[in-house]
Amino acid sequence: MIDTAAIKSYFTGLQDSIVSRLEAVDGTPFRDDCWTREHGGGGRTRVLEEGQVFERGGVNFSHVMGGNLPASATAGRPELAGRSFEAMGVSLVLHPRNPYCPTAHMNVRCFIASKPGTEPVWWFGGGMDLTPYYPFEEDVRHFHGSCKAALVPFGPDVHAQYKAWCDRYFHLKHRDEARGVGGVFFDDLNEGGFERCFALTRAVGDAFAEAYVPLVERRLDIPYGERERDFQAYRRGRYVEFNLVFDRGTLFGLQSGGRTESILMSMPPRVQWRYDWHPEPGSAEAKLYEDFLPPRDWV
Amino acid sequence: MIDTAAIKSYFTGLQDSIVSRLEAVDGTPFRDDCWTREHGGGGRTRVLEEGQVFERGGVNFSHVMGGNLPASATAGRPELAGRSFEAMGVSLVLHPRNPYCPTAHMNVRCFIASKPGTEPVWWFGGGMDLTPYYPFEEDVRHFHGSCKAALVPFGPDVHAQYKAWCDRYFHLKHRDEARGVGGVFFDDLNEGGFERCFALTRAVGDAFAEAYVPLVERRLDIPYGERERDFQAYRRGRYVEFNLVFDRGTLFGLQSGGRTESILMSMPPRVQWRYDWHPEPGSAEAKLYEDFLPPRDWV
């Protein structure tokens, strides 16, 4: 059966190791906030603001429980609505200052939905995706290559399926536009037994640092000016739109009485909206829209 | 019966008169964008960006129709879900640059839901509310006083009811915090016949300019610095959170295939998020939280 102690130990260790790696890159220690939740559970929020490299970023662990699984968590399995639940996960979003460094998101999570007199239902979910402003093809290939390498041991089609799922998930319907260049995404995973599902989830979590941190290290010294910062702030508006209108994790957190400041760590530090703005044809900004946002096979 | 030509004529005239008044204050002409919608209808978007007084603002007219009333429009009356519909309205949001000038929102709208073989169902909705950063008590009283004066002719309790409805509606549940200092809000209004409901809606629309513009004129020359701009940008984050997570009009627009750039005119131009920030006790910023955001009777 499901070993929640092992999952918790993995998730808290993953948070520690990712934070250490990011602190080494940034040179600034993350703030450390432990919190408890009125309705059960709590978490540990690690946050960096106004760092050398990261303008804002958070690596959160949370473990919450409640009497009624919220709708956002049962979109794919309405038969579970109303069960008591336990949810545990690590969720991170990193917004570097340099517009040549991409924003990244990673999440690994486990849900258990219980009802007296029946076996508990459990599943894993997670993924990681990349949101560049001024992308480099080799960086995007590196990120997708890391995702693929992590998933190859779990079956020949798993990476392709989860890559396509990511493209579908991180899609801004109201703009018919991708949030970024994708990555992998999975949810409702309980196929093949607990050991396999937990191992797959660990593989995704473990792959994150090497998939992402080198892209930041490579680009963090590229000079930039107001134009690049403006475009970054404008594109970050899309990140806000996605997370507040569509993201299941954000809505689950807000609906389940989660800790707002930890959930909204994903919000970028500085954002701009501009009416009906379009990049100039042939510009570096147009390249993002034309060559990178439309989903394609990167590896 | 319902006179859609009269409603349309009133709404387009209201848009024109408000835009003229704002252009006189700002000294900058609004951009004028007419658009049509693939699934029926269209609108006229009037936008100002980087004006002298308004950093960003829009006064939109739209008239759209469709085969299936979206869920966001039938929250209070699920029996209407799936009817064909016609929706018409004026919606405005104004974000002045000076943090001593408040942000304002006003909306008046009419819905008609039809089903073959039955009488069409119609209703009006609307309201206006004020979101100050560094508020002045006399300004808030003026705004609420204007709302009350507009509604007094429609019954002794109407203003109090719609004021309380506004406080309930513009509430950020995930922060247990008001978006601003409120105003009036109403929806699903068809009580007392078409003439009364249309007249009440007109009274709200007509009251807006005198309720709001003097507050901007009074405060637009107050000197401010980085501190005030930072706080304004931070508080604008609440505006984004409300509109993207809770606002029925925004969600209706995005769900019904509306024109994204017109709907998201409500987004502030520059926004900041900061982790777990709280104003210093006794500061001007703390005054907003303590003396203005908790709902109270202003008139």
Side-chain angles (χ1 to χ4, degrees):
Chain A
M1 254 321 293
I2 185 160
D3 182 349
T4 52
I7 303 171
K8 187 163 191 165
S9 158
Y10 170 70
F11 282 162
T12 54
L14 178 68
Q15 181 188 35
D16 287 342
S17 78
I18 290 174
V19 167
S20 299
R21 180 78 190 267
L22 297 170
E23 284 178 336
V25 174
D26 198 278
T28 315
F30 276 58
R31 181 168 161 179
D32 192 343
D33 267 0
C34 288
W35 50 273
T36 54
R37 185 167 156 277
E38 206 185 316
H39 306 290
R44 186 178 178 196
T45 294
R46 308 295 312 269
V47 188
L48 185 60
E49 288 192 309
E50 304 292 344
Q52 297 297 309
V53 173
F54 297 103
E55 194 173 356
R56 179 168 155 98
V59 185
N60 300 331
F61 166 76
S62 67
H63 182 192
V64 302
M65 47 284 283
N68 263 296
L69 201 53
S72 52
T74 54
R77 8 173 92 196
E79 72 279 11
L80 299 181
R83 285 197 171 208
S84 68
F85 71 96
E86 188 175 340
M88 209 190 320
V90 172
S91 184
L92 73 79
V93 173
L94 298 162
H95 294 289
R97 181 174 288 105
N98 189 318
Y100 291 97
C101 297
T103 284
H105 160 253
M106 190 277 286
N107 171 237
V108 280
R109 59 187 179 275
C110 176
F111 272 83
I112 305 162
S114 304
K115 196 165 121 180
T118 62
E119 277 291 290
V121 176
W122 57 264
W123 67 97
F124 286 90
M128 60 175 104
D129 72 292
L130 196 70
T131 309
Y133 306 94
Y134 293 93
F136 298 88
E137 190 160 325
E138 63 177 291
D139 292 1
V140 179
R141 290 189 190 284
H142 171 89
F143 188 82
H144 279 277
S146 306
C147 291
K148 185 170 183 173
L151 290 173
V152 156
F154 300 92
D157 303 328
V158 172
H159 173 257
Q161 279 170 15
Y162 290 2
K163 192 269 182 200
W165 199 344
C166 190
D167 288 335
R168 284 195 306 276
Y169 182 79
F170 291 103
H171 182 256
L172 286 92
K173 288 184 201 73
H174 59 295
R175 297 189 182 273
D176 193 15
E177 190 183 286
R179 165 164 108 166
V181 297
V184 284
F185 181 91
F186 64 101
D187 202 354
D188 298 316
L189 174 70
N190 61 2
E191 195 188 326
F194 170 74
E195 284 306 333
R196 172 185 182 268
C197 297
F198 183 29
L200 188 155
T201 304
R202 287 198 311 272
V204 169
D206 292 342
F208 173 75
E210 276 311 304
Y212 175 63
V213 176
L215 313 190
V216 174
E217 289 173 323
R218 272 182 215 168
R219 313 300 173 188
L220 60 82
D221 290 326
I222 299 179
Y224 60 87
E226 211 178 313
R227 172 184 173 148
E228 290 82 6
R229 282 286 279 173
D230 274 355
F231 182 61
Q232 180 192 47
Y234 173 78
R235 289 296 311 172
R236 282 170 170 175
R238 301 292 210 272
Y239 215 80
V240 173
E241 291 174 21
F242 183 85
N243 282 15
L244 295 184
V245 177
F246 297 109
D247 187 58
R248 281 175 73 179
T250 304
L251 298 178
F252 170 77
L254 297 178
Q255 287 173 7
S256 63
R259 185 171 184 262
T260 296
E261 286 294 332
S262 300
I263 298 162
L264 297 183
M265 253 321 306
S266 61
M267 295 292 105
R270 287 178 184 78
V271 187
Q272 287 179 27
W273 273 272
R274 237 176 279 164
Y275 176 72
D276 206 20
W277 183 83
H278 302 281
E280 224 173 288
S283 65
E285 292 77 15
K287 228 174 131 59
L288 171 68
Y289 289 76
E290 287 159 16
D291 298 347
F292 288 87
L293 294 184
R296 55 184 255 212
D297 284 331
W298 292 98
V299 280
Chain B
M1 258 316 297
I2 185 160
D3 181 350
T4 52
I7 303 169
K8 186 163 192 165
S9 159
Y10 169 70
F11 282 162
T12 54
L14 178 68
Q15 180 187 35
D16 287 341
S17 77
I18 291 173
V19 167
S20 298
R21 179 79 188 267
L22 297 169
E23 285 178 336
V25 174
D26 198 278
T28 315
F30 275 57
R31 184 169 159 179
D32 192 343
D33 266 0
C34 288
W35 50 274
T36 54
R37 185 167 156 278
E38 207 184 316
H39 305 289
R44 186 178 177 195
T45 294
R46 307 296 310 271
V47 188
L48 184 60
E49 287 192 310
E50 305 292 345
Q52 296 296 308
V53 173
F54 297 103
E55 194 173 358
R56 181 169 154 96
V59 185
N60 299 332
F61 167 76
S62 68
H63 182 191
V64 302
M65 48 284 284
N68 263 296
L69 200 54
S72 53
T74 54
R77 8 173 94 197
E79 72 279 11
L80 299 181
R83 284 197 173 207
S84 68
F85 70 96
E86 187 174 341
M88 210 189 322
V90 173
S91 183
L92 70 81
V93 173
L94 298 163
H95 294 288
R97 180 174 288 104
N98 189 318
Y100 291 97
C101 297
T103 283
H105 160 253
M106 189 277 287
N107 172 236
V108 280
R109 59 187 180 275
C110 176
F111 272 82
I112 305 162
S114 305
K115 195 164 122 181
T118 62
E119 278 289 292
V121 176
W122 58 264
W123 67 96
F124 286 89
M128 59 174 104
D129 72 293
L130 196 70
T131 308
Y133 306 94
Y134 293 93
F136 298 88
E137 191 161 323
E138 62 177 292
D139 291 2
V140 179
R141 291 191 189 283
H142 170 90
F143 188 81
H144 279 277
S146 305
C147 291
K148 185 170 184 174
L151 290 174
V152 157
F154 299 93
D157 303 328
V158 172
H159 173 258
Q161 279 170 15
Y162 290 1
K163 193 271 183 200
W165 198 344
C166 189
D167 288 336
R168 284 196 307 277
Y169 182 79
F170 291 104
H171 182 256
L172 286 91
K173 289 185 200 72
H174 60 294
R175 297 188 181 271
D176 193 15
E177 190 183 286
R179 165 164 108 167
V181 296
V184 285
F185 181 89
F186 64 100
D187 203 356
D188 298 318
L189 173 71
N190 60 3
E191 195 189 324
F194 170 75
E195 283 307 332
R196 173 185 181 268
C197 297
F198 183 29
L200 187 156
T201 304
R202 287 199 310 271
V204 169
D206 291 343
F208 173 74
E210 275 311 303
Y212 175 62
V213 176
L215 313 189
V216 175
E217 288 172 322
R218 273 182 214 168
R219 313 300 174 189
L220 60 83
D221 288 326
I222 300 179
Y224 60 87
E226 213 179 311
R227 170 183 174 149
E228 290 83 6
R229 282 287 278 173
D230 274 354
F231 182 61
Q232 179 192 49
Y234 174 78
R235 289 294 313 171
R236 281 170 171 174
R238 302 292 210 270
Y239 216 82
V240 172
E241 291 174 22
F242 183 84
N243 281 14
L244 295 184
V245 177
F246 298 110
D247 187 59
R248 282 174 74 178
T250 303
L251 298 178
F252 170 76
L254 298 177
Q255 286 173 7
S256 62
R259 186 172 182 262
T260 294
E261 287 293 333
S262 300
I263 298 162
L264 297 182
M265 252 323 304
S266 61
M267 295 293 104
R270 287 178 185 78
V271 186
Q272 287 179 28
W273 272 271
R274 237 176 280 165
Y275 176 73
D276 206 21
W277 183 83
H278 301 282
E280 225 173 287
S283 66
E285 292 77 15
K287 227 174 131 60
L288 172 69
Y289 289 77
E290 289 159 16
D291 299 345
F292 288 88
L293 294 185
R296 56 184 254 212
D297 284 330
W298 291 99
V299 282

